[in-house]
Amino acid sequence: MAKETKDFSKYFDFSGAKVISEDPSGKTIRLNGRDIHIVSEPDYRREKERGKEEIQVHYENAVPDELRTLGLGKKYLIYTYGCQMNEHDTEVMRGLFEDMGYVSTENRMEADIILFNTCAVRENAEDKVFGELGHMKVLKQQRPELILGVCGCMSQEASVVNRIMQKHAHVDLIFGTHNIHRLPHLLQDAHFGKEMVIEVWSKEGDIIENLPKKRTEGLRAWVNIMYGCDKFCTYCIVPYTRGKERSRMPEDVIAEVRDLARQGFKEITLLGQNVNAYGKDFVERNYRFGDLMEDIHKIDIPRIRFTTSHPRDFDDHLIEVLAKGGNLVEHIHLPVQSGSTEVLKRMSRKYSRERYLELAGRIRKEIPNAVLTTDVIVGFPGETEEQFEETLSLMRDAEITSAYTYIYSPREGTPAFDMADDVPLEVKQKRLARLNALIGELSLKHHQGLIGQTFEVLVEGESKNNANVLSGRTRSNKLIHFEGNKEWIGQFVQVRVTAAQTWYVKAEAISAPVIASQVS
């Protein structure tokens, strides 16, 4: 039986709340003993709209001069949930904090501001955040001056903001994915006011360039090339929380990558909800993701990756460019979600099983050493045993070596939420276990075929269990463990594979890397 459709407009109809004031800057209400200033709130209907208005690009500084000392003597802490896009958003917020004089801390007891940068893709991610907010209530009672904020994708959901307003009055600040650049002004409001401040833009904003970024490592960096998604897969909340597809100007992306190359970064990952839709929204230029990759291919940086891609937009020109190799690596993450054409249709993925396999075949023909990984959802509404078996067979046919696998969970506000969630949880769990077992078999088989081969590894760090063992990744994103010196961390090392494990391989270093400081 389908779930009852909800009237989301009622989430902000607080007939029991007292309106204290209302002006062009928003309205202030009193609810459960606390004043709440609502500048703007999430609206599912507006989040689904895809207007024709032109996206503007802004280059001014996000931190005005008068706020550059706001955080002197204060510390911040950000908890991040979800995807690499969220991680990158956190890097931007760190940059904004530090431009205002704040200092980072990992100790919540000494933090003056704590932000939760949230994910709305899975229900358990939301549960974790609300659990943490519950724990924060005691800390807030102990330290009333602490500013507590919630941002990210959960903040774009009307039901979530409503729940925070009603149940978590100790939260001071709620803002969304479209107005991260407003953080300095929101912090100013939070510092000098005693209200809960809500500023969530339902319609996506313009593209804001020149945002500061505080990257936590000097080895790998993430670069946003676009924002939003227009695919509207029936299970996915992202088109609502991240807005419509907006591509950054190529010259801005290329300038950022060149700057990272000058800083000595070894690996760049280009980010987008659907990177290979890049450029489709340009009006006055014919420039797509393949063109961007071709231009970045010419920059002197060792490795370029990208995530995530949609099979529907993976064109021949992109394959042709990736086949040139060089700093364009051979790992391609190509989410399939299901191996059944019927399930894919209900998911509104806009491709069939056959088309996905044909695309995988074209990639392998042009890039023979390509390694394909994917995403899979099990237990989508209506999925039969036979349709699940089609997913298993696709894993074999496409020669998938690794996958992020999930049990379907309904997301309020998506079309699938109104479908009958008719696959029992026990069946979902068994299917997930079978899928993971198969992926493990395919991964081990692939790794066994690597024994004796030589690979270039970017050394990322020491093993947690053995300081003499280093770990790193190949161009195809394979995890490698080998013995070596910790001075090698951050360097490229040639290794020979000696043994295969299910999720990583063991190797031996062929020679020590030449470290710049050792060169006379």
Side-chain angles (χ1 to χ4, degrees), residues 428-486:
K428 291 179 182 177
Q429 291 171 334
K430 288 181 178 177
R431 288 179 184 173
L432 182 69
R434 288 168 59 196
L435 175 62
N436 286 339
L438 174 61
I439 296 295
E441 290 174 21
L442 296 173
S443 177
L444 180 60
K445 179 181 177 182
H446 177 72
H447 288 166
Q448 288 170 337
L450 303 180
I451 294 175
Q453 294 187 39
T454 299
F455 294 96
E456 175 194 78
V457 173
L458 178 56
V459 185
E460 297 175 359
E462 297 177 359
S463 166
K464 294 178 182 178
N465 302 321
N466 187 341
N468 294 322
V469 174
L470 301 176
S471 67
R473 292 187 181 272
T474 65
R475 289 170 55 89
S476 61
N477 212 35
K478 292 297 175 186
L479 182 61
I480 306 271
H481 287 180
F482 61 99
E483 290 190 4
N485 193 309
K486 67 179 181 180

Side-chain angles (χ1 to χ4, degrees), residues 323-386:
K324 295 180 179 180
N327 59 1
L328 307 181
V329 301
E330 297 77 40
H331 172 227
I332 297 173
H333 190 68
L334 195 63
V336 67
Q337 307 303 357
S338 173
S340 162
T341 296
E342 285 303 310
V343 174
L344 290 170
K345 196 175 296 183
R346 291 198 296 277
M347 290 178 167
S348 193
R349 291 290 287 176
K350 303 295 197 305
Y351 57 83
S352 65
R353 169 195 178 90
E354 290 71 27
R355 183 173 173 184
Y356 183 92
L357 289 172
E358 186 266 336
L359 173 59
R362 271 190 289 139
I363 290 172
R364 292 194 185 284
K365 180 181 177 183
E366 299 299 323
I367 314 170
N369 54 346
V371 170
L372 295 183
T373 59
T374 196
D375 295 344
V376 183
I377 297 171
V378 302
F380 189 75
E383 182 187 67
T384 65
E385 180 62 26
E386 291 74 21

Side-chain angles (χ1 to χ4, degrees), residues 251-309:
E251 51 269 29
D252 294 328
V253 175
I254 291 167
E256 184 173 352
V257 173
R258 282 185 175 144
D259 184 54
L260 291 168
R262 283 192 291 270
Q263 293 178 45
F265 282 87
K266 302 286 201 305
E267 183 174 295
I268 304 295
T269 300
L270 306 179
L271 292 181
Q273 247 68 48
N274 175 17
V275 289
N276 44 6
Y278 176 83
K280 287 177 70 175
D281 56 316
F282 289 150
V283 176
E284 297 180 355
R285 63 173 88 190
N286 182 18
Y287 189 97
R288 295 290 303 276
F289 187 47
D291 301 306
L292 180 67
M293 293 298 280
E294 190 152 33
D295 284 341
I296 291 178
H297 173 64
K298 302 167 187 172
I299 298 175
D300 185 18
I301 200 159
R303 290 182 180 179
I304 301 292
R305 302 187 184 278
F306 61 90
T307 192
T308 190
S309 57

Side-chain angles (χ1 to χ4, degrees), residues 336 339 353 356-357 390-399:
V336 67
R353 169 195 178 90
Y356 183 92
L357 289 172
E390 288 186 273
T391 296
L392 296 181
S393 64
L394 182 137
M395 296 298 108
R396 298 187 188 93
D397 294 346
E399 299 177 47

